[in-house]
Amino acid sequence: MELLLGIDLGTTGVKLLLINRKGKVISSNSHEYPLSSPKPGWAEQHPDIWWNATIKAIKKITGSLNKNDEIVSVGLSGQMHGLVPLDSSINPIRPSILWCDQRTVEECKIIENKLGKKLIDTVSNPALTGFTAPKILWLKRNEPENYKIMSHFILPKDYIRYKLTGKICTDISDASGTLLLNVKKGVWAEDIIKELGIKKSILPYIAGSEEITGYVTKTASKLTGLKSGTPVVGGGADNTCAAVGTGIVHSGRVSSSIGSSGVVFAHTDNMLVDPETRVHTFNHSVPDNYYLMGVMLSAGLSFKWFRDNLGQKEINIEKQTGKDAYNQLSKSAANIDPGCEGLIFLPYLNGERTPHKDPFARGVFFGLSQRHTREHLVRAVMEGIVYGLMDSIEIIENLGLDIKQIRATGGGGKNKFWRQMQADVFNKPVVTLNNDEGPAYGAALLSGVGVNFYNSIEEAADSTVKIKSIVEPDPDKHDVYSDIHRRYKELYISLKDNFRNIRY
């Protein structure tokens, strides 16, 4: 049986999925690895940690194959934005600086001051600490000897590509998150690169997500058990691979993902840019298509904070009976009417990205009265998270995208009560899918397009990703939520200056 392998290089571990032509998961494996923080706000990993973990995971997969099974292609997905600087011998110069690293505040100011409006006109995004370009400038300003010997830079997943194939390149979706790509044209923004004083020679080749970029070498074959000569395709950033794996490959489809963070991902056939840069515009893995993305920093993290600090009863029950603490809490929240009798929660425990771009924002319970119980608090947290997602959906709709359907993934997709809440707040049908395997699944599908299992990325997704369930919005509840969402937005405006005055 011919099989497709998807590799997703995450921040805390690597996950592999093996699927057949119909999209059925045959096997999976994962390996965790540590994240280093040598200074406050820093986040680093050495690329060889990724490779060693990937070797172990692939060997588990190849070791479990039946006699007639064959892995015919490999697709790659991974964490975005991380800087992997390489010397002329293609060895890492230093640990990779990751997407969540915050050391580049000054470099972002330099970029914004130097480029101004040209930044949005060309790369379609503001300079944020997570992006790759500020990291390159940081290296140039703070580690000049390392910058001097840097011969290439790649993104995290592309280090796995190099170790598998010996080829240096990235794909268009990952390149769009560097702040160095002309998103509309899909090529490196040479004028931006020149103005920032970055060496053009370090830029990798940009491949299509479904393009074969190399073949497994004999050395990599011996280490992993993959057959020498197996094609490795371009793959994509974790967000676009997750979108392919959930069928977000047609305009009008949007995913709402509640994990630790909250992500709203909207496919668009035509390039749309928010002039206020509250949502991101990047290149999709689907050729000549784009996506809009809003990110809230503390979605599931807010619910986890409540569970860890105010949900000890549910935690104890889970230990004794195995009943999930989150499900217990959401069941109690269902006893409360929508709107929580005026109680509103702002989920800004770690600042906020979309729509406020405010690192000083903080969490708030507003409107507490003697009538409110712990059940009200639980529901207010869950509602506040969905209001945060609604902020992104509103922006995307106001840019002219007609949203027809929301595909719920992550924790918010597994919880029926939370799915109904999303449908009611968004006033859109919310569906679940036959699989929720994440970026590795999309990477495997992309690899299948590369070897002509499927004629296109759209065909790959449409033939394997199916709707499992659907919830329709309740118009009366939507009216209640709309009024509260308006007040939710006003609260941030009222409290913005106060957040900046907090001392801790």
Side-chain angles (χ1 to χ4, degrees), residues 165-455:
T165 68
K167 303 296 183 181
I168 296 176
C169 77
T170 190
D171 81 287
I172 191 165
S173 68
D174 230 357
S176 67
T178 62
L179 211 67
L180 296 172
L181 188 82
N182 185 314
V183 173
K184 186 173 184 179
K185 296 180 179 179
V187 297
W188 293 119
E190 294 190 14
D191 53 341
I192 297 289
I193 293 161
K194 183 177 180 180
E195 286 196 49
L196 294 180
I198 293 173
K199 298 181 289 187
K200 183 181 175 182
S201 60
I202 68 174
L203 301 172
Y205 167 76
I206 301 172
S209 290
E210 78 286 21
E211 179 182 336
I212 293 176
T213 57
Y215 301 87
V216 173
T217 64
K218 291 180 180 179
T219 299
S221 175
K222 291 178 181 178
L223 290 171
T224 64
L226 290 170
K227 184 179 177 181
S228 177
T230 303
V232 178
V233 305
D238 51 3
N239 286 306
T240 64
C241 285
V244 171
T246 51
I248 310 296
V249 295
H250 299 286
S251 187
R253 293 182 186 175
V254 173
S255 66
S256 167
S257 173
I258 301 177
S260 296
S261 61
V263 177
V264 173
F265 182 110
H267 176 108
T268 173
D269 297 334
N270 303 308
M271 184 174 171
L272 299 172
V273 179
D274 175 21
E276 298 179 48
T277 66
R278 294 162 298 178
V279 295
H280 301 298
T281 300
F282 292 130
N283 299 84
H284 203 325
S285 286
V286 181
D288 303 317
N289 282 209
Y290 306 88
Y291 68 94
L292 296 166
M293 183 175 68
V295 180
M296 57 184 298
L297 298 179
S298 300
L301 282 177
S302 291
F303 203 9
K304 182 179 185 299
W305 168 84
F306 189 95
R307 184 203 65 173
D308 292 349
N309 292 282
L310 298 171
Q312 195 58 52
K313 180 179 76 172
E314 288 77 14
I315 291 173
N316 290 338
I317 291 174
E318 181 176 341
K319 289 178 180 177
Q320 294 166 9
T321 68
K323 293 181 179 179
D324 182 75
Y326 291 115
N327 288 339
Q328 295 177 61
L329 288 167
S330 64
K331 187 175 181 180
S332 72
N335 297 322
I336 305 301
D337 289 336
C340 302
E341 298 185 66
L343 182 62
I344 299 174
F345 175 72
L346 302 186
Y348 307 142
L349 301 184
N350 296 304
E352 190 53 294
R353 185 161 161 184
T354 302
H356 305 305
K357 295 182 290 186
D358 185 354
F360 299 101
R362 290 295 177 264
V364 173
F365 279 109
F366 176 84
L368 273 171
S369 75
Q370 200 169 17
R371 285 184 54 79
H372 290 119
T373 65
R374 195 173 72 108
E375 291 179 338
H376 287 85
L377 296 177
V378 177
R379 181 159 189 141
V381 169
M382 298 181 77
E383 288 183 353
I385 293 165
V386 180
Y387 294 144
L389 296 170
M390 184 62 191
D391 285 343
S392 293
I393 288 173
E394 260 190 355
I395 294 166
I396 290 168
E397 286 193 304
N398 288 337
L399 291 175
L401 190 67
D402 182 18
I403 299 175
K404 296 180 176 67
Q405 181 192 89
I406 308 289
R407 299 190 168 197
T409 63
K414 294 181 174 70
N415 185 305
K416 185 177 180 180
F417 172 66
W418 224 350
R419 293 200 304 273
Q420 184 65 60
M421 184 185 292
Q422 290 181 76
D424 296 340
V425 173
F426 303 155
N427 201 28
K428 307 285 183 186
V430 171
V431 306
T432 59
L433 306 169
N434 58 331
N435 74 74
D436 187 8
E437 297 288 355
Y441 191 85
L445 291 179
L446 290 172
S447 81
V449 180
V451 294
N452 299 317
F453 263 38
Y454 317 101
N455 294 318

Side-chain angles (χ1 to χ4, degrees), residues 94-155:
R94 67 176 323 283
S96 173
I97 306 174
L98 304 187
W99 65 274
C100 50
D101 189 284
Q102 298 297 314
R103 76 184 71 181
T104 61
V105 172
E106 289 303 314
E107 285 71 27
C108 288
K109 290 178 182 177
I110 290 170
I111 293 172
E112 292 279 3
N113 291 335
K114 183 168 288 191
L115 298 177
K117 188 173 181 293
K118 181 185 286 188
L119 192 64
I120 306 304
D121 292 342
T122 305
V123 300
S124 308
N125 288 281
L128 300 177
T129 53
F131 290 150
T132 318
K135 296 176 174 64
I136 296 174
L137 287 191
W138 183 90
L139 194 71
K140 184 178 182 180
R141 297 177 72 226
N142 294 274
E143 297 180 0
E145 290 305 312
N146 281 337
Y147 181 80
K148 185 177 180 180
I149 63 172
M150 181 166 60
S151 179
H152 309 274
F153 89 86
I154 50 177
L155 286 304

